[in-house]
Amino acid sequence: MSKLSLLDQFHIWRRKIRWNRQYKKGRWEYLKNDVEAPRYAKIIEAIKHHSKAKPSILDLGAGEGVLRSRLDNEAIGYFLGVDFSKVSIKFATNCNFDNADFQVADLHYYTPPQEFDVIVFNEAFYYINDAVRAKVLSRILGKLKQGGILINSIYKEGLGCWEYFDLAELEQLDFTTVKTKKEGTYWKLGVYRKI
């Protein structure tokens, strides 16, 4: 079984320190702007089109809660946002969203507290160390309800990531490129159903 080396653990710790500092300085504010809007719109469209009404949603890589801020209160049953950065989660928590909780966690070790109808890897999957990606995905899929939807959003190509989602228990419902008006800025978005 693969596990993280001490060097990998050190690099993850360093990244956490850097992201907390960047969130404090406002480095990630751009996630709320119009360039990101098409990606969030596509995620929300996938939730509306492929999930049950008022789903429970787990947002992995929630940051300051941008996805939750773009969802109508009536469209969700429950929302849990998880991020590596305690600073971003503090900002999200301070928004006092209805039917939402936020939690600081490292996806390398995180096990969701309950099953969900929708799980979103929100620009987070490619940050998971190669040595444990398959194990992390398996753990997360264990908390996706039968018939539930998994959405993976990756900036640009996401090389070395998409093959992990080629699993017998996942049916691919959609795979698209989301483009913006900003040249060279695009995302790949995969939508899967747990069968």
Side-chain angles (χ1 to χ4, degrees), residues 126-189:
Y126 48 75
Y127 288 114
I128 298 168
N129 188 283
D130 293 349
V132 295
R133 268 192 194 147
K135 187 166 111 176
V136 169
L137 180 57
S138 177
R139 186 180 330 117
I140 297 301
L141 282 176
K143 294 296 185 166
L144 181 62
K145 291 179 183 177
Q146 202 72 31
I149 304 302
L150 178 71
I151 301 170
N152 186 31
S153 172
I154 292 186
Y155 182 65
K156 297 201 174 178
E157 295 301 314
L159 299 175
C161 291
W162 293 109
E163 58 269 21
Y164 289 93
F165 296 86
D166 188 17
L167 298 170
E169 66 187 297
L170 291 178
E171 172 193 6
Q172 187 177 45
L173 301 175
D174 191 15
F175 190 85
T176 190
T177 300
V178 179
K179 296 181 180 178
T180 70
K181 293 178 183 176
K182 185 176 178 183
E183 187 176 334
T185 301
Y186 65 93
W187 296 266
K188 300 282 184 174
L189 196 82

Side-chain angles (χ1 to χ4, degrees), residues 65-85:
V66 178
L67 177 59
R68 176 60 190 92
S69 73
R70 293 175 181 264
L71 288 162
D72 294 331
N73 287 338
E74 299 77 32
I76 62 166
Y78 174 67
F79 184 95
L80 176 59
V82 175
D83 201 276
F84 199 42
S85 166

